[in-house]
Amino acid sequence: MIERCLQHAGNSVRIGITGVPGAGKSSFIESFGMYLIGNGHKLAVLAVDPSSGQSKGSILGDKTRMDKLSTHPEAFIRPSPAAGTLGGVARKTRETIILCEAAGFNTILVETVGVGQSETAVHSMVDFFLLLMLAGAGDEIQGIKRGIMEMADAIAITKADGTNKPAAENAKVLFQNTLHLFRPLPSGWKPEVLTCSARENTGITELWEKVRDYVLVTKDNGYFNERRKQQDVIRMYDTIMEYLSNSFYGNKDVKLLRPVLEKQLAEGRITSYKAAVRLIDKYLSRSK
């Protein structure tokens, strides 16, 4: 099904959204999403939802927080449980993007569960990477990894309203000065810092204009299409890793040997390295 959808995919703008805890990602996405729909876009939101460590199920929190967006006929929201995947990124997110594009969604938002390893994975599957930051929460620069800031195509200071507005403006200057210290992006794009408020719906238009400017610049210099080609290569290797993992853990001999080696590990009769080698040897001997 994915293969047949590929020829109808690719005609969208893919935006990755991440941010520090408390930055209001869900509130921002609802405000941003409603603005896009109001301007004729068909929107898909792929949100990785915190999940139970016991049942591995999703609590569907994003749908409950995006009450207007989740019921709109031009929007599709898919919360996916984060358990069992690298940094909270759902394993099938890349394929879901293809399906959504084939279904006619021309704007895709991919929300990460938080600041961590998942950002690198999301960055490798989107066109534009947006980092949401919160002012007045201590030393903002120390509150997020430098590597994530270096990936950002734009930074938005959220909750820039009421008494928090001056702090948001100060944070904007601070982050803009910090961005000047980083090496230029390969896209040729210069990231900017903006302020916004989901509560007052301010700064949303300006953010979308930055996304549109980015798409125009990178399509003009060829980076946009080159990046999409790189993502196809990454998708190929992801598919290989998934196939090998499923093949390994689904192997009957491996399934039988695993509990034996786990018991020996618990009793201290074998090292984890030797146990791993024995499992791999068992798998390879069966695969020959």
Side-chain angles (χ1 to χ4, degrees), residues 57-134:
S58 171
I59 62 173
L60 304 180
D62 285 294
K63 278 203 170 183
T64 62
R65 291 192 295 269
M66 302 177 192
D67 54 336
K68 293 180 182 178
L69 195 61
S70 62
T71 57
H72 201 288
E74 294 301 312
F76 170 74
I77 300 179
R78 175 61 181 175
S80 300
T85 57
L86 175 61
V89 178
R91 187 172 60 181
K92 296 294 184 182
T93 302
R94 295 184 192 277
E95 286 77 11
T96 309
I97 289 174
I98 294 171
L99 292 175
C100 287
E101 290 176 341
F105 292 94
N106 56 19
T107 309
I108 314 289
L109 304 184
V110 183
E111 178 198 3
T112 72
V113 74
V115 176
Q117 292 178 328
S118 60
E119 278 59 40
T120 302
V122 169
H123 184 261
S124 71
M125 65 179 78
V126 298
D127 305 310
F128 187 92
F129 194 65
L130 177 63
L131 172 60
L132 303 182
M133 295 297 292
L134 185 65

Side-chain angles (χ1 to χ4, degrees), residues 48-58 80-93 113 117-118 241-242 245-246 249:
V48 180
D49 203 42
S51 49
S52 166
Q54 299 296 322
S55 67
K56 312 300 182 186
S58 171
S80 300
T85 57
L86 175 61
V89 178
R91 187 172 60 181
K92 296 294 184 182
T93 302
V113 74
Q117 292 178 328
S118 60
M241 291 299 293
E242 182 181 348
S245 178
N246 291 339
Y249 288 108

Side-chain angles (χ1 to χ4, degrees), residues 2-216:
I2 296 294
E3 279 288 325
R4 295 178 68 178
C5 285
L6 275 172
Q7 60 183 314
H8 305 290
N11 298 316
S12 78
V13 176
R14 306 166 184 171
I15 305 171
I17 299 177
T18 189
V20 296
K25 290 191 290 294
S26 296
S27 298
F28 169 81
I29 288 174
E30 174 156 74
S31 179
F32 190 51
M34 292 302 293
Y35 169 81
L36 292 173
I37 289 173
N39 283 273
H41 293 262
K42 193 173 182 182
L43 178 72
V45 180
L46 310 181
V48 180
D49 203 42
S51 49
S52 166
Q54 299 296 322
S55 67
K56 312 300 182 186
S58 171
I59 62 173
L60 304 180
D62 285 294
K63 278 203 170 183
T64 62
R65 291 192 295 269
M66 302 177 192
D67 54 336
K68 293 180 182 178
L69 195 61
S70 62
T71 57
H72 201 288
E74 294 301 312
F76 170 74
I77 300 179
R78 175 61 181 175
S80 300
T85 57
L86 175 61
V89 178
R91 187 172 60 181
K92 296 294 184 182
T93 302
R94 295 184 192 277
E95 286 77 11
T96 309
I97 289 174
I98 294 171
L99 292 175
C100 287
E101 290 176 341
F105 292 94
N106 56 19
T107 309
I108 314 289
L109 304 184
V110 183
E111 178 198 3
T112 72
V113 74
V115 176
Q117 292 178 328
S118 60
E119 278 59 40
T120 302
V122 169
H123 184 261
S124 71
M125 65 179 78
V126 298
D127 305 310
F128 187 92
F129 194 65
L130 177 63
L131 172 60
L132 303 182
M133 295 297 292
L134 185 65
D139 188 350
E140 287 90 348
I141 300 299
Q142 295 298 324
I144 190 167
K145 294 178 182 178
R146 170 176 170 153
I148 297 172
M149 286 187 63
E150 288 179 320
M151 290 189 296
D153 297 302
I155 296 176
I157 311 299
T158 60
K159 303 183 181 180
D161 48 49
T163 58
N164 198 47
K165 194 168 184 178
E169 291 296 333
N170 290 335
K172 175 183 175 180
V173 175
L174 173 66
F175 281 110
Q176 194 67 63
N177 291 336
T178 303
L179 288 177
H180 291 311
L181 303 175
F182 297 156
R183 69 184 65 182
L185 295 176
S187 61
W189 172 259
K190 293 183 179 180
E192 292 187 32
V193 184
L194 301 92
T195 60
C196 65
S197 168
R199 187 174 68 179
E200 298 181 353
N201 283 320
T202 56
I204 303 299
T205 301
E206 290 78 5
L207 267 171
W208 175 243
E209 287 176 352
K210 288 300 173 188
V211 175
R212 289 199 308 172
D213 289 345
Y214 172 88
V215 173
L216 289 173

